[in-house]
């Protein structure tokens, strides 16, 4: 089989590529140049896009004796991931850019190009299991990335290979060390690769400017503070509100209204949600019959909760939760799982949280 190994320059994709070579596949490595300002990300920034990362990936490819290319997908990444990220925040929602990148870059742009070039599959270092075409959680629960892959369709998954799903991160690093890869001890990548300093609010303010508005307390309807732009907030957020409320009880963001620029806050008991409404779902396999009992994960690294999944007349889903959840943010994906402790929880699909 001819496979294209997506090599970020990190330890996971180095080992994934090595395992593909061991499995006897005809492997070609590719590093994706995704940042428009790669030079500025040179020192210390461990993202998806620095020049150092490209060098690290090339070095591993050389050690494996496989051909290696760099594909410049910076424009595509900017349009499909970064602009989407900015637009979603501008609309008062909280996007997950890794999920978008998997959907639109790795398993659309890259997979399409790979198929056009005659490759049978794209190999990545994602921590998730993929067997018989079905996507499942990784053996390593702490490193599991099935959430950010839950948006992929059966057709996309048919062209994906995740060799690391059945091993722990510890094992991955041990394999890298045994093989003498310099990246064996390289730190894990950053949360949002195109915001290397981690200052999301600053990044968004540079893009969207300042747009002051009120912070309103839900219980009293009174204005308890002000802000420089609704894009600085996420539903469920507690820190950084800087409010002047009489009592000492912490406030959380309940809703974000970008048109009136109003951020509404409330005390903890007001943050609970028992029913989640979503936009239209995507499925990783055949669309399941609804209603359905499943588990739903409402954010990356969130704890799954039991739910009933029903179809809504508008084409979305209605998720009735078995337990009250706090801080459910519109724009995040509700990823649906069928629990399976033996083979790993099966990812059924996902739908964007609407409200
Ligand atoms: N710039 C890139 N070029 C090529 N492949 C990439 C790039 N960024 C990510 N990938 C692929 O997507 C996978 C998951 O990306 P993620 O950013 O989550 O990295 P990770 O889990 O830290 O893995 P790694 O240790 O390989 O960086 C990587 O293992 C790799 O196969």
């Amino acid at each position: 089989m001819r496979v294209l190994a997506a090599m970020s320059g990190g330890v996971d994709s180095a080992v994934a590529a090595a395992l593909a070579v061991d499995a006897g596949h005809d492997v070609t490595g590719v590093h994706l140049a995704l940042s428009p300002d790669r030079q500025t990300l040179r020192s210390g920034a461990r993202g998806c896009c620095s020049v150092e990362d490209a060098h690290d990936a090339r070095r591993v490819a050389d050690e494996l004796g496989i051909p290696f290319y760099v594909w410049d997908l910076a424009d595509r990444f900017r349009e499909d991931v970064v602009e989407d990220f900015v637009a979603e925040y501008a609309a008062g929602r909280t996007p997950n850019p890794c999920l978008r990148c998997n959907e639109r870059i790795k398993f659309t742009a890259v997979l399409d190009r790979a198929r056009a070039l005659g490759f049978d599959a794209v190999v990545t270092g994602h921590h998730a299991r993929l067997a018989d075409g079905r996507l499942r959680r990784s053996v390593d629960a702490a490193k599991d990335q099935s959430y950010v892959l839950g948006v992929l369709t059966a057709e996309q998954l048919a062209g994906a290979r995740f060799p690391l799903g059945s091993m722990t991160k510890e094992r991955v690093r041990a394999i890298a060390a045994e093989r003498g890869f310099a990246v064996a001890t390289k730190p894990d990548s950053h949360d949002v690769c195109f915001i290397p300093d981690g200052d999301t609010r600053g990044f968004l303010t540079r893009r969207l400017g300042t747009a002051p508005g009120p912070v309103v307390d839900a219980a009293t309807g009174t204005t308890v503070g002000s802000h420089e732009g609704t894009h600085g907030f996420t539903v469920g957020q507690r820190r950084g509100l800087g409010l002047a409320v009489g009592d000492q009880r912490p406030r959380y963001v309940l809703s974000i209204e970008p048109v009136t620029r109003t951020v509404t806050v409330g005390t903890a008991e007001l943050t609970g949600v028992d029913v989640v409404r979503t936009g239209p779902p995507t499925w990783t396999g055949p669309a399941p019959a609804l209603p359905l009992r499943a588990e739903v994960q409402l954010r990356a690294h969130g704890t799954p909760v039991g739910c009933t999944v029903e179809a809504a007349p508008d084409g979305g889903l209605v998720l009735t939760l078995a337990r009250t959840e706090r801080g459910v943010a519109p724009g995040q994906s509700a990823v649906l799982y069928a629990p399976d402790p033996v083979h790993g929880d099966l990812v059924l699909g996902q739908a964007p949280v609407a409200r």
Side-chain angles (χ1 to χ4, degrees):
M1 194 163 64
R2 283 189 72 205
V3 300
L4 188 75
M7 301 178 71
S8 64
V11 61
D12 289 322
S13 48
V15 171
L19 293 174
V21 171
D22 289 356
H25 300 312
D26 176 1
V27 184
T28 296
V30 67
H31 178 77
L32 312 173
L34 300 176
S35 168
D37 35 42
R38 302 204 297 145
Q39 298 297 338
T40 63
L41 293 180
R42 184 177 259 284
S43 55
R46 172 68 185 96
C48 56
C49 355
S50 77
V51 169
E52 258 169 43
D53 288 333
H55 284 310
D56 287 343
R58 180 181 296 280
R59 218 158 61 187
V60 172
D62 287 348
E63 284 172 45
L64 294 174
I66 61 172
F68 177 81
Y69 300 94
V70 175
W71 287 358
D72 184 347
L73 287 171
D75 286 346
R76 194 71 193 263
F77 184 75
R78 181 173 42 71
E79 283 163 30
D80 287 353
V81 179
V82 183
E83 293 307 315
D84 173 81
F85 181 83
V86 173
E88 284 290 284
Y89 268 104
R93 293 187 287 265
T94 306
N96 185 311
C98 298
L99 183 138
R100 274 305 148 247
C101 180
N102 285 328
E103 178 192 29
R104 297 178 181 172
I105 302 299
K106 290 170 195 158
F107 297 104
T108 297
V110 174
L111 181 58
D112 286 353
R113 196 189 280 197
R115 281 176 167 154
L117 292 171
F119 291 98
D120 300 299
V122 171
V123 172
T124 70
H126 282 107
H127 286 264
R129 274 177 274 187
L130 190 52
D132 303 325
R134 298 313 309 265
L135 179 66
R136 295 175 184 276
R137 283 194 197 276
S138 164
V139 163
D140 190 333
K143 288 289 164 189
D144 175 53
Q145 290 179 303
S146 60
Y147 180 87
V148 288
L149 296 165
V151 68
L152 300 184
T153 61
E155 213 266 323
Q156 290 171 309
L157 290 168
R161 297 290 181 277
F162 307 139
L164 307 188
S166 302
M167 59 180 75
T168 62
K169 180 78 187 216
E170 208 182 356
R171 179 81 194 113
V172 173
R173 286 201 183 276
I175 292 173
E178 281 163 22
R179 288 177 177 260
F181 290 159
V183 295
T185 55
K186 190 167 173 173
D188 286 353
S189 52
H190 195 274
D191 276 351
V192 179
C193 67
F194 54 90
I195 310 180
D197 64 2
D199 179 11
T200 301
R201 194 184 281 193
F203 174 85
L204 290 166
T205 301
R206 283 194 294 283
R207 284 300 314 273
L208 295 168
T210 54
V215 179
V216 173
D217 193 52
T220 60
T222 54
T223 297
V224 289
S226 62
H227 63 79
E228 293 297 311
T230 54
H231 53 259
F233 300 89
T234 290
V235 168
Q237 175 180 339
R238 173 181 166 183
R239 294 206 187 90
L241 300 182
L243 300 178
V245 276
D247 60 80
Q248 294 303 309
R249 304 173 65 198
R251 295 300 196 275
Y252 300 81
V253 174
L254 299 181
S255 65
I256 299 165
E257 188 22 85
V259 176
T260 60
R261 299 180 188 165
T262 304
V263 174
T264 302
V265 300
T267 46
E269 66 274 14
L270 296 179
T271 61
V273 167
D274 299 299
V275 176
V276 175
R277 288 168 197 284
T278 76
T282 60
W283 303 109
T284 58
L290 302 179
L292 163 82
R293 285 212 47 82
E295 283 189 347
V296 62
Q297 189 174 322
L298 292 157
R299 67 182 70 85
H301 314 298
T303 309
V305 54
C307 70
T308 309
V309 184
E310 289 166 280
D314 65 1
L317 300 176
V318 179
L319 311 176
T320 306
L321 308 181
R323 174 186 79 219
T324 303
E325 280 289 295
R326 302 196 181 281
V328 178
Q332 295 277 287
S333 271
V335 177
L336 298 167
Y337 292 85
D340 182 340
V342 178
H343 305 99
D345 300 346
L346 176 68
V347 182
L348 299 171
Q350 67 80 44
V353 173
R355 60 202 148 89

